[in-house]
Amino acid sequence: MEKHKFLSVDEYESNFPEYVQLIISQIRDLIRKTAPEALECISYNMPAYKYKGVLVYFAAYKNHIGFYPTGSGIKHFESELGPYKWAKDSIQFPLNQEIPFDLIQKIVNYRLEENRSK
């Protein structure tokens, strides 16, 4: 069975239960407020934000939000990722815990400055 290809972040968001839609909407608003010059699009079938290259991606799953700030975004914030499952390119924020919007904003700011300096 072929996976549905999303054409917009609105379409992506509408595909989830209401409580997940709320979290997606909050993350979108935070990213757009933090990086208003970033282009919001779908890439790899998930929400992506680009400004002078990729800033961040994120995706909703059954039990978590996957946040993908590239390797440098992970490396810079390693000391703050302790309570979360993470790898070199991704962080998992469990849906049964409070989403760390302040950390997400710090990472987006970092990635924005990093891309601006390119």
Side-chain angles (χ1 to χ4, degrees):
M1 188 166 131
E2 192 173 319
K3 192 175 175 184
H4 178 78
K5 299 277 187 241
F6 297 106
L7 301 176
S8 71
V9 180
D10 288 331
E11 182 188 5
Y12 180 90
E13 184 178 319
S14 71
N15 195 54
F16 291 90
E18 211 168 289
Y19 77 100
V20 177
Q21 286 182 31
L22 178 61
I23 293 167
I24 291 170
S25 179
Q26 289 173 303
I27 292 171
R28 286 177 77 186
D29 289 348
L30 180 136
I31 294 170
R32 290 188 294 209
K33 186 180 108 201
T34 305
E37 59 270 84
L39 170 71
E40 179 181 77
C41 59
I42 293 289
S43 184
Y44 299 107
N45 214 32
M46 65 179 125
Y49 297 82
K50 297 178 179 182
Y51 176 77
K52 296 187 178 195
V54 172
L55 285 177
V56 296
Y57 303 90
F58 74 89
Y61 298 95
K62 183 179 179 187
N63 297 310
H64 70 277
I65 296 291
F67 190 67
Y68 309 95
T70 76
S72 64
I74 297 287
K75 190 160 183 52
H76 189 80
F77 290 93
E78 257 180 51
S79 65
E80 296 181 50
L81 301 180
Y84 307 105
K85 185 175 179 182
W86 59 277
K88 69 179 183 115
D89 288 330
S90 65
I91 311 165
Q92 291 183 11
F93 300 125
L95 290 172
N96 65 354
Q97 296 175 20
E98 226 175 278
I99 301 297
F101 295 109
D102 55 338
L103 177 59
I104 292 171
Q105 186 170 31
K106 286 197 303 192
I107 294 170
V108 171
N109 264 322
Y110 174 78
R111 291 287 302 123
L112 189 59
E113 290 308 314
E114 193 174 45
N115 281 12
R116 277 186 182 134
S117 69
K118 283 183 178 176

